[in-house]
Amino acid sequence: MTDLKDWTPRPLPAREPLEGRYVRLEPLDAAKHGDGLYEASSVADAGDRFRFLFENPAEDREAFAAWLEKVEASKDPLFFAVIDKASGKVAGRQTLMRIDPAFGVIEIGNIYWGPLISRKPAATEAQFLFMKYAFELGYRRYEWKCNNANEPSKRAAERFGFKFEGIFRQHMVQKGKNRDTAWYSVIDGEWPALKAAYEAWLSPDNFDADGKQIKRLEEFRVVSA
């Protein structure tokens, strides 16, 4: 059993950029990111993309500005814009949330990855950068939660190496419907092997000339376990 007699609270995450090969995560700035994030969030299939988020797609830029003002000021959730480095465009957003420095627990949430990066290496790296940052700050537990009806999110959590922990029944009311919440986590003891797997998968050597993966992330996880 881990000896925690010398445990001390972890630092709060800072409003500082996190740099990757495919994406850069920047603390959300309404003036800098507003137009790009509105464009990324106003795509033709936005209704489907926002289905399991608590907010709906903004009706217009003015309504989006009001939302931006609120979330820019938030410390928890702490919002970051996801910048696609290939195009330089804002491709989405995500947050660090339910931040508990006393016990070393933190969660990724409020994820919106637009068409520029969804289902691409950039999205995986966006998640990896948060996970890496959390464990480098000394957090013991990194969480992913989603509506139990959100099958793509549950598959993503499993692909990303999170362990399923159970269902919180009737946990929330979301857009006028019951939400049972599926809970997932990664803990610090699992991080070194996961880190090696992510780095191997994200390497340019793992993609062919057409940008298709050679090995799946899950395959590297098996090797690294």
Side-chain angles (χ1 to χ4, degrees):
M1 183 176 293
T2 303
D3 183 356
L4 295 174
K5 69 178 185 299
D6 296 323
W7 169 262
T8 56
R10 301 297 89 193
L12 288 167
R15 290 183 57 83
E16 61 185 18
L18 303 175
E19 195 79 29
R21 178 178 285 115
Y22 306 106
V23 297
R24 182 172 59 256
L25 306 181
E26 297 180 354
L28 187 64
D29 181 311
K32 181 178 182 181
H33 304 124
D35 289 341
L37 186 54
Y38 177 68
E39 180 182 350
S41 306
S42 302
V43 291
D45 61 345
D48 288 337
R49 291 177 179 273
F50 276 77
R51 178 183 173 192
F52 291 107
L53 293 171
F54 276 90
E55 74 274 14
N56 291 308
E59 294 181 359
D60 52 40
R61 185 63 176 85
E62 183 178 357
F64 192 69
W67 177 84
L68 276 173
E69 182 179 358
K70 179 180 70 174
V71 301
E72 180 186 32
S74 173
K75 295 181 180 179
D76 187 354
L78 181 60
F79 277 78
F80 284 75
V82 182
I83 311 300
D84 172 51
K85 294 179 72 169
S87 65
K89 292 184 176 182
V90 180
R93 42 85 164 178
Q94 58 193 53
T95 70
L96 291 168
M97 58 183 288
R98 295 173 58 91
I99 303 164
D100 189 344
F103 297 117
V105 181
I106 199 165
E107 177 182 345
I108 181 174
N110 295 287
I111 299 168
Y112 175 81
W113 294 328
L116 269 178
I117 63 168
S118 59
R119 297 187 176 88
K120 296 178 182 176
T124 295
E125 186 180 59
Q127 196 290 123
F128 167 68
L129 290 174
F130 261 11
M131 189 185 290
K132 181 173 181 282
Y133 184 48
F135 287 118
E136 287 179 347
L137 286 176
Y139 281 73
R140 303 176 63 232
R141 173 181 169 88
Y142 178 71
E143 298 178 334
W144 176 292
K145 302 188 186 81
C146 62
N147 191 316
N148 191 46
N150 189 346
E151 294 297 333
S153 185
K154 292 194 293 184
R155 288 194 297 271
E158 292 169 2
R159 175 180 174 270
F160 289 147
F162 289 82
K163 299 287 181 66
F164 175 66
E165 296 183 327
I167 305 296
F168 273 36
R169 298 177 300 163
Q170 296 189 184
H171 182 220
M172 296 178 176
V173 177
Q174 186 174 31
K175 294 179 177 174
K177 297 181 180 180
N178 173 64
R179 169 172 150 162
D180 296 338
T181 299
W183 286 53
Y184 298 83
S185 73
V186 172
I187 57 176
D188 53 0
E190 298 160 347
W191 168 236
L194 266 181
K195 179 175 183 285
Y198 273 101
E199 290 175 340
W201 187 84
L202 288 165
S203 169
D205 294 338
N206 189 46
F207 296 91
D208 64 20
D210 296 322
K212 294 181 179 179
Q213 66 179 351
I214 296 170
K215 292 179 66 174
R216 297 178 298 126
L217 178 59
E218 296 92 320
E219 295 177 83
F220 286 111
R221 283 181 18 225
V222 170
V223 171
S224 303

